[in-house]
């Protein structure tokens, strides 16, 4: 779980620093890491993917 949270925190840091410095490639990489971290944390907590549909 620490690894997933670490990816998320580094992603947020990269996104913020990229936006502050004006380096949009770095900010995009940070955004991808944030989204990846959110997905990993969700998958660990629930055991399913974000895009899985509920059977109705």
């Amino acid at each position: 779980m620490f690894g997933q949270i670490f990816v998320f925190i580094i992603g947020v840091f990269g996104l913020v620093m990229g936006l502050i410095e004006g380096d949009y490639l770095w900010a995009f990489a940070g955004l991808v890491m944030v989204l990846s971290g959110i997905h990993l944390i969700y998958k660990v907590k629930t055991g399913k993917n974000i895009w899985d549909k509920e059977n109705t």
Side-chain angles (χ1 to χ4, degrees), residues 5-17 26-27 29-34:
I5 293 173
F6 183 74
V7 167
F8 178 76
I9 291 170
I10 295 300
V12 169
F13 179 74
L15 177 63
V16 170
M17 291 305 294
W26 188 256
L31 177 65
V32 170
M33 285 181 67
V34 167

Side-chain angles (χ1 to χ4, degrees), residues 23-36:
D23 186 359
Y24 296 112
L25 183 61
W26 188 256
F28 179 71
L31 177 65
V32 170
M33 285 181 67
V34 167
L35 295 176
S36 171

